[in-house]
Amino acid sequence: MTASNVNGSGEVARPFPEGFLWGVACSSYQIEGAVHADGRGRSVWDTFSHTPGKVLRGDTGDIACDFYNRSDEDLDLLIALGVAAFRFSVAWPRIQPTGSGAVNQPGLDFYRSLVERLLARNIEPVLTLYHWDLPQSLEDLGGWANRDTAERFADFTQIVAEGIGDFGGMWITVNEPQVVASHGYRTGEHAPGHTDDALAAAATHHLLLGHGLALQRLRSALPAARVGITLDLHAVRAQDAEAEAAAAVAEAEQNGLFLDPVLQGRYPALAREHILPPASLIEDGDMELISAPIDFLGINYYSPVYVKLTDTSVPHADETPIAGLPGVATYMPIELPRTSMGWLSEPDGLYDTLIAVAADLPPGCKMYITENGCAAEDYVNPEGSVEDVERIEYLHGHLAAAWRAIQDGVPLAGYFYWSVYDNFEWGWGYQKRFGLVFVEFESQRRLPKRSASFYQGVMSANELPPLDLQIASTT
Ligand code: IFM
């Protein structure tokens, strides 16, 4: 598995281990549309996106990619792409419209059929149980700030496991609980839109508890299933030695708040009091459930976080003060490229994250990059193609970093590009395109971008080729 110089440029081809799982990722609310079909209930994202001012240009997921009605065509596209695995999420309100009680059979049947159609196409289903579309009825009872939601999530997990789980396969309990708690309950950027530290701290614990309870149900209902959780992690960097202590706090709150409970059964000592769940919410046995062994850890990696000491009493371009830490801000080093989300692109951050997490992983636990990708200013050119060179460069850099981590002993077993199709990018609506496949939302026409054929080449060769700079210079 050593690299070989194939084009004489100094760039090398990087073979991945045999059996490395190549996939693409998406989530229910972001692609499905059909929000009123077949008895689906309302989710917090339906409410939030229909609230004026919450989503750019008033976009909603009402139609999205209309995947619910076009899944056959879209699954055929996966075959053309050559993916081995498809990561999708099940929409809780399709299966249990009010988040508890009776099952809505057509909703469950949709996902059963989806799994069957994937298997028929020789594509491994990777099922996420919770990717943010909480039934609105549960939000009305307090959402993730209410402990009962974790219990309801466990019941929902059991319904899905018993209803469609006979494929075994890979199951992800919760996607990015950090984003749910911080954006959904602290900053209000995401549904359900709360801006309350206490609610965010409670949601943090209950999302983790939901993971632990779901894991327990999956273990007993589906002993052969491989189960994990997906966390969004960032490489956190200090500008200089003076900023290291502040960076360590940021790191604890960004990564450790979810990573430490799952891997070590405790919350990070460095996180500040208002961020941590209060002891009164943590019942006997909770931390044991949360830290029960997982088969894999899913990592979503997009960008690093840089921390500096600065005068936060006056605004500075490219700096964002960290709330409650006077004189500390995150910042954007000028020399690093940014994606069209305004996020820094730094593949070394992925390498460093994988190395750091692997050091804390129990023996036998694998890692998957369950999301990585970038938004770019994609458009269909007069020749009718989408030449998304920035995405190819981003992808190449991050795959090279993943490859390097594997060489250095990280048990990385697969990579999922986010996202397969352009889709509803939460508060940004349809203004940000992450897809390998361009979606013209007015007509619902699909058009694989240049990055799709690049990724297809990587997957079919199981090898990252040298970056062909011809690609960059012709556009
Ligand atoms: O679109 C999201 C996804 O739902 C969760 N991870 C990050 C992606 C890009 O913002």
Side-chain angles (χ1 to χ4, degrees):
M1 221 184 36
T2 51
S4 58
N5 184 343
V6 295
N7 69 351
S9 65
E11 267 278 330
V12 291
R14 300 166 176 91
F16 278 75
E18 208 181 313
F20 192 80
L21 189 64
W22 293 104
V24 286
C26 61
S27 87
S28 45
Y29 189 73
Q30 292 178 275
I31 64 166
E32 285 179 359
V35 291
H36 301 298
D38 298 334
R40 176 186 179 276
R42 196 172 174 79
S43 82
V44 289
W45 270 97
D46 296 301
T47 307
F48 192 77
S49 64
H50 279 270
T51 306
K54 297 297 187 192
V55 176
L56 200 62
R57 301 196 191 179
D59 289 344
T60 73
D62 286 4
I63 299 173
C65 305
D66 198 26
F67 177 82
Y68 191 79
N69 294 311
R70 293 168 195 264
S71 50
D72 269 328
E73 175 197 333
D74 283 338
L75 297 187
D76 287 345
L77 254 178
L78 296 180
I79 300 183
L81 271 178
V83 305
F86 181 60
R87 177 179 173 228
F88 64 98
S89 72
V90 290
W92 190 347
R94 272 197 204 287
I95 294 175
Q96 258 185 322
T98 58
S100 60
V103 175
N104 177 45
Q105 197 57 44
L108 195 56
D109 290 346
F110 172 71
Y111 295 110
R112 164 168 282 288
S113 146
L114 182 60
V115 165
E116 286 169 356
R117 286 177 291 147
L118 284 166
L119 294 173
R121 287 165 170 83
N122 236 341
I123 297 172
E124 179 168 347
V126 176
L127 187 154
T128 302
L129 285 157
Y130 186 72
H131 199 127
W132 309 356
D133 37 8
L134 184 74
Q136 180 61 41
S137 306
L138 292 184
E139 167 57 20
D140 296 341
L141 299 171
W144 286 107
N146 178 355
R147 185 179 175 97
D148 190 57
T149 296
E151 299 286 349
R152 300 287 69 75
F153 180 60
D155 291 347
F156 164 65
T157 298
Q158 184 140 1
I159 290 168
V160 181
E162 287 171 356
I164 68 171
D166 41 12
F167 72 97
M170 273 176 72
W171 293 63
I172 294 168
T173 54
V174 179
N175 180 71
E176 298 185 5
Q178 190 279 137
V179 173
V180 179
S182 72
H183 292 38
Y185 291 80
R186 180 173 294 110
T187 68
E189 292 158 71
H190 279 188
H194 298 299
T195 50
D196 184 314
D197 283 338
L199 294 183
T204 294
H205 186 63
H206 298 145
L207 282 154
L208 284 165
L209 180 63
H211 154 73
L213 291 169
L215 175 61
Q216 189 182 48
R217 300 286 184 103
L218 288 170
R219 290 287 186 230
S220 82
L222 302 174
R226 285 160 292 137
V227 186
I229 183 172
T230 277
L231 303 180
D232 57 302
L233 301 178
H234 299 262
V236 181
R237 322 261 200 215
Q239 185 188 40
D240 49 30
E242 282 71 48
E244 268 169 21
V249 173
E251 215 274 335
E253 295 176 356
Q254 185 72 57
N255 298 336
L257 191 61
F258 291 86
L259 204 47
D260 293 3
V262 169
L263 296 184
Q264 292 160 27
R266 58 173 173 72
Y267 285 104
L270 282 180
R272 288 168 295 162
E273 199 181 334
H274 72 281
I275 302 281
L276 287 169
S280 58
L281 292 184
I282 305 171
E283 297 188 2
D284 283 352
D286 284 3
M287 299 315 287
E288 286 72 18
L289 279 169
I290 292 168
S291 59
I294 46 178
D295 301 305
F296 64 88
L297 180 71
I299 293 181
N300 292 357
Y301 176 87
Y302 289 90
S303 59
V305 170
Y306 277 76
V307 176
K308 74 192 297 194
L309 303 188
T310 182
D311 178 4
T312 47
S313 64
V314 286
H316 296 286
D318 284 343
E319 290 183 12
T320 308
I322 298 184
L325 278 184
V328 182
T330 59
Y331 72 103
M332 301 277 205
I334 195 78
E335 65 278 10
L336 287 182
R338 301 176 199 187
T339 71
S340 89
M341 290 296 279
W343 298 349
L344 297 169
S345 169
E346 191 191 44
D348 281 351
L350 173 61
Y351 173 83
D352 294 344
T353 301
L354 294 172
I355 294 285
V357 174
D360 289 337
L361 223 53
C365 181
K366 292 182 178 171
M367 287 159 83
Y368 289 88
I369 297 172
T370 41
E371 285 183 30
N372 172 245
C374 73
E377 302 299 323
D378 302 326
Y379 61 93
V380 182
N381 67 20
E383 289 74 43
S385 67
V386 180
E387 301 294 323
D388 55 339
V389 177
E390 308 90 316
R391 182 167 292 103
I392 295 174
E393 288 180 336
Y394 181 98
L395 186 48
H396 191 280
H398 286 81
L399 287 176
W403 180 84
R404 196 152 59 89
I406 296 170
Q407 305 311 297
D408 292 342
V410 169
L412 184 68
Y415 175 95
F416 292 74
Y417 179 79
W418 181 276
S419 175
V420 56
Y421 323 109
D422 292 337
N423 60 42
F424 177 78
E425 177 52 27
W426 308 115
W428 294 93
Y430 299 100
Q431 301 312 308
K432 300 294 178 192
R433 294 180 177 271
F434 277 87
L436 295 171
V437 176
F438 189 88
V439 176
E440 201 172 71
F441 290 103
E442 301 74 26
S443 64
Q444 291 294 344
R445 181 168 77 107
R446 273 67 163 146
L447 177 63
K449 303 175 191 174
R450 188 152 187 166
S451 57
S453 76
F454 170 77
Y455 190 43
Q456 182 183 41
V458 173
M459 293 185 286
S460 68
N462 197 31
E463 172 176 296
L464 180 67
L467 183 59
D468 183 353
L469 296 176
Q470 266 321 101
I471 297 174
S473 61
T474 55
T475 55

